[in-house]
Structures are given as structure tokens and as C-alpha cells.
Amino acid sequence: MNRLPAGLYQPGDSVVHRLDAAAKLLCLLLLLAAVVNTAAPAGYGVWVLLLALLIRLARIPPRTALASAAGLGWFFLLILLMNLCFYAPEQAWVSVWIFRPSSAGLLQGLRVAARVFLLLVMSNVLMVSTPPLALTGAFERLLSPLRFIGVPTELAAMILSVAIQFIPTLLEETDGIRKAQTARGARFDSPNLWEKGKAVLPLLAPVFVAAFQRADELSLAMEARGYRADIRRGRKKYPPFRACDWLALSLCAAAAVIFIIIR
Amino acid sequence: MSVELRNVSCVYAPGTPYETRAVTELSLTIRDGEFAGVMGKTGCGKSTMIQLIAGLMRPSGGQILLDGQDINGKNFDRDGLRRRVGVVFQFPEIQLFETTVKRDVAFGLRHFGWTEEEKESSVREALERMGFSYEAVKDKSPLGFSGGEKRRLAVAGVLAARPELLILDEPLAGLDPLGREALLTLLGELNRDGTTILMVSHDADTLAEYADRIILLKDGRLFRDGPAAEVFADYDALKDNGIGVCRVREAAEALRRRGWEIPAGTVRYGQLLDEIAGRWRQ
Amino acid sequence: MQTISTVKKAILTAVCIALCVVLPQAFHAIPNAGSIYLPMHIPVLLCGLICGWPFGLLCGLAGPLLSSLFTGMPPAAYLPPMAVECAAYGCVSGILTRFVRTKNTYADLYICLIGAMLSGRVIAGLARALIFAGGSYSMAAWATGYFVTGLPGIVIQLVLLPVIVSALMRAGLIPARYPEVRSDG
């Protein structure tokens, strides 16, 4: 694991970095709604400009911001071709077997590709500018009203926070097991499908046993200290949104309303 | 098997904010048949070094030679490397997964092209070396054993391949005194039979007693390298760098400070007793 | 059948969610394994099987979410369909495991797994077609995506999961489903 994937948090001190994570998440949802509802090609031009402005504000290197979309060229091509050939068969230029390309399809393909591109880059900006822990906290916060319809959100929040604590330990342990089995001569690849399944067992079975062992120890310790899943604990207090959070939210809401009305 | 590191460096996540240099320009040689101990604080590059030697990681620079051949070279026989180099990782009991002990211990042998008889005799020998009765345990599930027994089963799984170089990463962690003693005795036997041993441990006492030589790493670089008597002799320099020496050396130093003429190279228990007895008689 | 306490179910679910982040990373080291093994499905299915449908559902939703947040995979745009798919696996395997009782641990396991894998793919396909792609997603693409490229994954998961379940039972980490059958055999 010597390489970092796209979309990983990069510390910074821009306006975007400092916004409350829950506010940012809401902003993203508003912007996504607006993008999905944009129909006019000119609208997409405006979006690209707005996005460039956002990346500039967040002081994220453009390469990092675009990284999530950069590797998906083939996917955009696929979207384009699928829509080109199948979207509007009744207006097709020609008909070859099941393929009926049309200009309406081409336009729709471009639209969908642009949409996916914008969605990818926007979410990437959010993820690059927000620590993962703050983001999960934001999810918990936004989902906490679900407790009114009987969803045990506190238990779910506890599970999530425990899961996050387990990630680094299990990553290290898994890497260790992979190396130990490699050193013992394990080969995780095999051309034969059935063998392929069995080839990863030396990795998977110990990983699950080790992980479940840890779960066993932790749950015993929690029960020994009197933790009960059905007791309602005091609700977490979240810091209120500040002026800049409200400003960002209203800007995004305004953008959403404008784009949805104008389309 | 001899090991040679030539100017080896290893960098994690190069070119990102998370870049870390684990090992920097490390050069050293471990001779065939040697029992070498590796010491250093957490994060000093010990684990990276053994993974580089075992061919589990590639260096960003430099060469690693086993018996004079570059293990990352084009024509190097990687499968041969897996057979000839055995690695016992920290808490190796975690690697057990097969349905029976026999299958698990034999797991590493499946690609060697050995006959069934060869495999069976090797598995039997490895299990018996680790203090198990082959007939009693071979068909049991390895996951049902106790912690200490699982550790011994896992070590048997490494020994079954009859490695020429045995690398161990903190093999004593979490073992009871009897288990430690038994494992160390076994390592001594293997070493006498010609296996080169490279053992990482933070336990200076054990290394001083058992290892021919101590390789001390600091911040990914070679800090000291030589017999324990030589490495631990430089008491003040080690203390200044926050590196602990063995207790025998501590005791010797305390006596020296009180005016006893005890050599700075006193690192083994027996040596210290002899020295004290000698001074006493005078 | 012995029951597992809610606290233990909660922690097992947490571990399975963590594995949803960890396993795809580990499989990264094996050449193009991610798309064949679908490593994220394994902990989700297992969580449903062991802890029941509410926990399986949570695992299916949270696993891909945390993975996306912490590792950038899947990219955010793929996240909603993937979360729906995984949630369906966790939920359906949990429901089936409660009602399917053939007196044979492995028969139950295969029925629950196949049921969960098929219905998860149908639900995810429908969700994709109806919500996420708004008409740009055709039936043909769905069938190709799920049954042709995903077929090796289905086979491999059917090989892997029973072995993992049996390893966990042998290590005494999860209760045997039919203890009396075990003591007989």
C-alpha cells in the first residue's frame, strides 16, 4: 500500500476546509440536486466555472481535485456510446442490428457524462477538504432525526465510531497476514476460477478470525463494564452552525433553486 | 545463507504529504550461519529491513543480495526465495487457517514439488521439533488450540520448509518464561545445524545472551553493528540516544561507577558472575 | 441455537464495516482482484448471516460509505448504487437466515447466500435504473454488469463464505447453527 488513492483528505486552512462538515455535506447535496436538474448545455458551462471557483477557494491543487474523474475516461466513453446508440431509437440516423445512434442520444450522452464528471469532482472536493472523522460525524448528525421513527441512531453511531477505530488496526493486521502467507509461499492468484477462490483463503480466513477475535474481546470488555445496547444515553450535542456555514448553505440553496427553476 | 544489503533505502508514499523514509542507505552483511539480533526503537526501520530481506517489499534504492544474488534482479528465483527464507512474523499464530494441523503446517510446501512422503516427514519433524506429537495433533483443527500452542504450530509451519535463513520478528512477545526458553533453545539448535538466524527483538537481555552479533538501527540508519560486547560497551552513547542496554551491562556499569574494574564488554550473565567472583577473591 | 448478545452483534457489525474498508485495500495488492472478488460483499453478507437483518443493513450502508470516505474507493458517484446493493445483501441474508432452516448448516448457508446475492443484484439494478441513472441505464447494461462480469464473483463467494464461516465456528468465535448436528458428526 505504497500509493495513495484519489479523494483522500489533505490538510489545509482554506475557507472551504474551515466550514462545518455537516454544512458542507448539505451543500454538496444541494449542489448535486441542482446539477442533476440542469438540462441546458449552457448550464453545464456555468457549473464548470463555479466548480473552478470552488477549487480555487479551497486551495486544492487542480490535479488533486480532478484526480477522481481522471482515471475514468473509459467510463465516460461508455456512457456516451450507450446513450448515443440506445437513447432515442425513433430518431435514429441509421439502424445497425440493435444500435440506433441519434443526435438526441449524443446530446443526452454528453449531458450524463458532464453530470457524472461534476458529481465526481464536487464530492472529491468535499472529501479532500474534510477529515474523514468529521464527515462521519456529519452523517451521524444529519441522520440523528431518524430516531423519531424508531431507528436506534445512537447504537448505529456507536457502531460507526467503533468501526472507524478498527480500520487502522485491521489494515495493519491484514497487511501482516498477507506478508506472512506470502513468505510461506502462498500465491493469491490462479488462472482457474475455482482455484482462484481458494487461493485467497489463506488471506481471508485468518483476517476474519483475527477481526472476530478482536470483536469478541472488545464486546466482552464492554459488557463486563456494564455497557448495555438498549440503554438510552444522553444525546450528543453538536456545535451550532456559524455565520459562514449559513452563508455557504444559502448560496448553495440559491444555486439549487435557480438551476431547478431555469433548468 | 549470507545476506548483504548494499546502500538500501525504502520510502513509503513518495511524493505525497505522507512520505516517510523507513530505511536510509543501509549497508550491512550477515554471514552464513550467523545468529544476528536486530534492535532499535519503534519506527527505526527494523520491520522494513526484514521485509526487504524476505523479498516482501521492494527497496526504492540499493540492492539486497542473498548468497551474492540480487533478489530483485530479473532472473532471480522468487519461489526459491520463499523456500529458502522462512519468516516468523510477530504473533504468527494469526496465520493459521487450514482445517487440520497437518494441512496448515504443510501449506508452505505445496509449490515446492516435494513428494507426499517428503512433505509428511518434513511436517512430522517440524511438529516434533516444536514439541508436538505428530500423530496426536495432525488431524485436529489448528484454530482450536491455546494461544501458546498456536504460536508453536505457526513456527512449525515455517520450519517445515527447512529454511536456510530464518527471520523472526519479536518471536518472544506474549510467551510465558517456559515458552521463551523452549523457543530460544530451539533457535540455538537450528543455528548449530547451520541455519542463519536474524531475530528482531527489543529484548536486549535475550539478544546479548544468544546472538553472535547485534545490529542496532536508529531512524532508518545503521547506528551500531557488532558483537553484543562491543555494541553495549558504549554505554553513554546508547543512553543518550534513548536505547536500552541489557541488564547485565547495566549492573556492570553500576559496579564500574563504584570503582570495580569490570570490562565494558560484560554483557552475558555468566560473564558478570565470573567477573564478580574474580574481584571478590581478590 | 445459542444467541449472541446485542452488544456483541453491534461490535461484530463494527468489525465487518471496518473490513469493508480494509479488504478492498488488501486485494489491491493482488493484480485486478477487486473486480473479480468483490471483497466488500463478503463482510456484508457475513454480517447479515451472523447478526441478523438490521445489522446487515447497517453494515451494507456504512461499509461502502466509510470505504469511500477513508480510501476514495468507490468514488462518491458510485457510492449510492453500491450502498443500496450492499444494504440489500446484508438485509436479505439476515432475513433468509432467520427463516431458512433445513437442519444442515451448509445447505442453509448456500440457500441464504444465493438468495441474498440474486435479490441484492435485482434490487441494485432496479434502484440504478429508476433513481441513479435516470433512464440512461438500460436493461442490457444491467444484465451484463451483474451477471456476466459478476458471475466469477458469485462463484468465488460461494467457495469462500462457507469456509470462512466454518473457520469462525472452529475458532469458537460464532456459535454453531445446529449444535446437535455437530455433536453427532
Side-chain angles (χ1 to χ4, degrees):
Chain A
M1 287 166 221
N2 287 7
R3 206 174 49 85
L4 287 171
L8 220 56
Y9 172 61
Q10 304 208 343
D13 188 37
S14 72
V15 193
V16 181
H17 279 85
R18 285 196 304 263
L19 285 178
D20 184 280
K24 257 192 275 189
L25 194 57
L26 282 176
C27 286
L28 178 71
L29 292 178
L30 285 168
L31 292 181
L32 296 187
V35 167
V36 170
N37 278 294
T38 305
Y44 288 99
V46 176
W47 275 120
V48 170
L49 285 179
L50 287 176
L51 196 56
L53 188 69
L54 179 68
I55 293 170
R56 182 83 211 200
L57 263 181
R59 284 193 238 126
I60 300 170
R63 271 186 61 162
T64 314
L66 298 178
S68 59
L72 295 172
W74 57 270
F75 177 71
F76 290 118
L77 198 67
L78 186 74
I79 296 182
L80 207 60
L81 286 178
M82 295 273 310
N83 280 287
L84 174 68
C85 298
F86 303 112
Y87 181 68
E90 63 282 357
Q91 303 165 29
W93 302 322
V94 283
S95 169
V96 184
W97 189 37
I98 54 165
F99 302 105
R100 292 185 171 76
S102 61
S103 51
L106 181 65
L107 196 63
Q108 174 68 8
L110 285 172
R111 209 175 274 146
V112 176
R115 236 175 245 174
V116 174
F117 172 80
L118 288 167
L119 298 185
L120 277 173
V121 178
M122 278 178 183
S123 339
N124 196 35
V125 169
L126 174 76
M127 303 213 325
V128 168
S129 68
T130 320
L133 277 178
L135 263 184
T136 30
F139 275 104
E140 277 173 41
R141 179 175 188 172
L142 296 183
L143 292 178
S144 62
L146 283 178
R147 69 177 181 280
F148 293 120
I149 56 162
V151 178
T153 51
E154 283 131 32
L155 184 63
M158 186 277 276
I159 292 175
L160 276 190
S161 68
V162 173
I164 292 168
Q165 291 167 39
F166 268 121
I167 293 173
T169 329
L170 291 182
L171 258 180
E172 208 170 296
E173 211 156 61
T174 307
D175 203 38
I177 292 169
R178 188 175 61 78
K179 284 178 173 152
Q181 304 293 35
T182 311
R184 279 217 284 169
R187 294 173 189 173
F188 300 117
D189 208 12
S190 161
N192 172 320
L193 186 60
W194 198 257
E195 292 293 323
K196 235 186 183 62
K198 286 197 278 185
V200 290
L201 269 176
L203 175 66
L204 274 185
V207 166
F208 274 94
V209 170
F212 274 53
Q213 202 127 38
R214 284 184 184 275
D216 208 40
E217 286 159 13
L218 179 62
S219 60
L220 274 179
M222 286 174 77
E223 281 174 303
R225 282 182 303 168
Y227 182 93
R228 296 255 315 272
D230 49 358
I231 294 178
R232 296 202 135 245
R233 268 160 298 279
R235 242 193 317 128
K236 238 193 239 170
K237 288 270 185 292
Y238 297 102
F241 284 175
R242 290 156 302 166
C244 56
D245 300 323
W246 286 116
L247 180 67
L249 268 177
S250 25
L251 282 177
C252 293
V257 170
I258 293 171
F259 273 93
I260 291 172
I261 292 172
I262 303 177
R263 292 190 70 88
Chain B
M1 175 186 277
S2 72
V3 181
E4 188 183 349
L5 303 190
R6 278 189 197 158
N7 232 356
V8 172
S9 296
C10 190
V11 185
Y12 287 93
T16 70
Y18 301 89
E19 179 176 311
T20 344
R21 302 188 72 86
V23 165
T24 312
E25 289 160 15
L26 196 58
S27 296
L28 56 90
T29 310
I30 296 160
R31 286 176 299 278
D32 186 29
E34 214 169 11
F35 189 140
V38 183
M39 268 183 74
K41 288 190 281 188
T42 310
C44 69
K46 293 177 287 189
S47 292
T48 309
M49 184 179 109
I50 58 174
Q51 289 180 26
L52 287 167
I53 294 174
L56 296 168
M57 282 172 74
R58 276 174 175 275
S60 350
Q63 283 179 310
I64 297 147
L65 298 102
L66 295 185
D67 281 344
Q69 286 187 303
D70 184 349
I71 63 165
N72 295 302
K74 258 209 172 118
N75 300 317
F76 190 79
D77 172 16
R78 303 287 287 188
D79 295 331
L81 174 86
R82 301 273 173 258
R83 182 173 55 76
R84 294 166 62 205
V85 178
V87 189
V88 176
F89 280 91
Q90 223 170 342
F91 303 109
E93 51 275 23
I94 211 174
Q95 75 197 27
L96 303 171
F97 74 100
E98 275 283 10
T99 44
T100 67
V101 166
K102 186 180 164 189
R103 287 171 63 101
D104 207 296
V105 174
F107 171 73
L109 316 177
R110 59 169 74 170
H111 298 302
F112 295 170
W114 290 4
T115 65
E116 281 308 312
E117 291 77 53
E118 280 170 325
K119 280 193 214 167
E120 174 152 348
S121 80
S122 192
V123 170
R124 178 191 292 271
E125 189 192 309
L127 280 170
E128 281 167 1
R129 256 205 150 128
M130 294 315 298
F132 291 101
S133 149
Y134 176 71
E135 297 300 331
V137 298
K138 69 179 168 83
D139 294 321
K140 289 190 179 162
S141 164
L143 297 171
F145 283 83
S146 77
E149 289 169 328
K150 279 195 209 167
R151 169 92 46 108
R152 279 152 56 207
L153 286 175
V155 177
V158 176
L159 293 184
R162 303 178 202 262
E164 294 161 42
L165 167 66
L166 184 60
I167 301 177
L168 303 103
D169 190 357
E170 298 283 1
L172 307 172
L175 283 186
D176 57 42
L178 277 177
R180 294 166 66 97
E181 199 56 48
L183 186 58
L184 286 166
T185 310
L186 172 84
L187 292 181
E189 276 169 28
L190 287 169
N191 187 231
R192 265 194 300 285
D193 295 347
T195 311
T196 309
I197 293 183
L198 184 63
M199 177 164 123
V200 171
S201 179
H202 63 270
D203 181 355
D205 295 322
T206 306
L207 292 185
E209 287 295 330
Y210 288 87
D212 300 327
R213 150 162 181 220
I214 291 185
I215 294 163
L216 193 49
L217 300 181
K218 184 172 175 281
D219 302 328
R221 290 173 190 271
L222 193 62
F223 185 60
R224 289 285 190 280
D225 181 9
E230 225 169 79
V231 169
F232 290 145
D234 203 357
Y235 185 84
D236 293 326
L238 296 186
K239 283 281 157 175
D240 289 347
N241 282 290
I243 295 160
V245 302
C246 58
R247 275 179 299 191
V248 169
R249 180 69 186 88
E250 290 277 3
E253 189 62 25
L255 291 173
R256 275 160 64 88
R257 302 244 153 124
R258 282 175 178 74
W260 290 54
E261 283 172 33
I262 289 183
T266 310
V267 291
R268 289 188 181 161
Y269 188 61
Q271 258 180 317
L272 181 66
L273 286 186
D274 288 347
E275 290 292 341
I276 293 176
R279 305 292 140 209
W280 200 254
R281 246 173 257 133
Q282 283 173 16
Chain C
M1 179 180 161
Q2 266 175 283
T3 50
I4 311 177
S5 72
T6 314
V7 175
K8 187 165 175 191
K9 281 183 187 170
I11 303 300
L12 285 179
T13 308
V15 164
C16 286
I17 294 173
L19 285 172
C20 287
V21 183
V22 170
L23 290 183
Q25 291 295 303
F27 277 64
H28 219 73
I30 307 167
N32 67 51
S35 54
I36 303 172
Y37 292 107
L38 311 167
M40 204 180 283
H41 297 182
I42 300 168
V44 173
L45 286 164
L46 206 60
C47 183
L49 288 175
I50 297 168
C51 305
W53 72 265
F55 291 98
L57 181 72
L58 176 67
C59 183
L61 287 175
L65 173 72
L66 288 198
S67 178
S68 183
L69 289 181
F70 282 84
T71 69
M73 286 306 281
Y78 294 104
L79 180 60
M82 194 148 172
V84 168
E85 182 180 353
C86 285
Y89 292 140
C91 190
V92 176
S93 65
I95 292 171
L96 286 179
T97 198
R98 197 158 142 196
F99 294 108
V100 177
R101 298 210 150 256
T102 60
K103 297 268 184 249
N104 179 319
T105 307
Y106 291 98
D108 284 8
L109 207 54
Y110 281 115
I111 295 171
C112 297
L113 284 177
I114 294 173
M117 285 194 251
L118 292 182
S119 48
R121 280 169 173 80
V122 171
I123 292 171
L126 289 178
R128 246 178 235 216
L130 294 177
I131 312 166
F132 302 117
S136 61
Y137 200 76
S138 78
M139 200 62 198
W142 171 67
T144 328
Y146 277 122
F147 290 101
V148 181
T149 58
L151 195 63
I154 297 179
V155 174
I156 284 172
Q157 284 172 5
L158 286 177
V159 179
L160 289 177
L161 272 150
V163 185
I164 293 170
V165 169
S166 111
L168 290 171
M169 289 198 295
R170 278 183 289 134
L173 292 168
I174 54 173
R177 192 169 166 86
Y178 303 107
E180 68 278 12
V181 175
R182 254 187 120 198
S183 57
D184 286 347

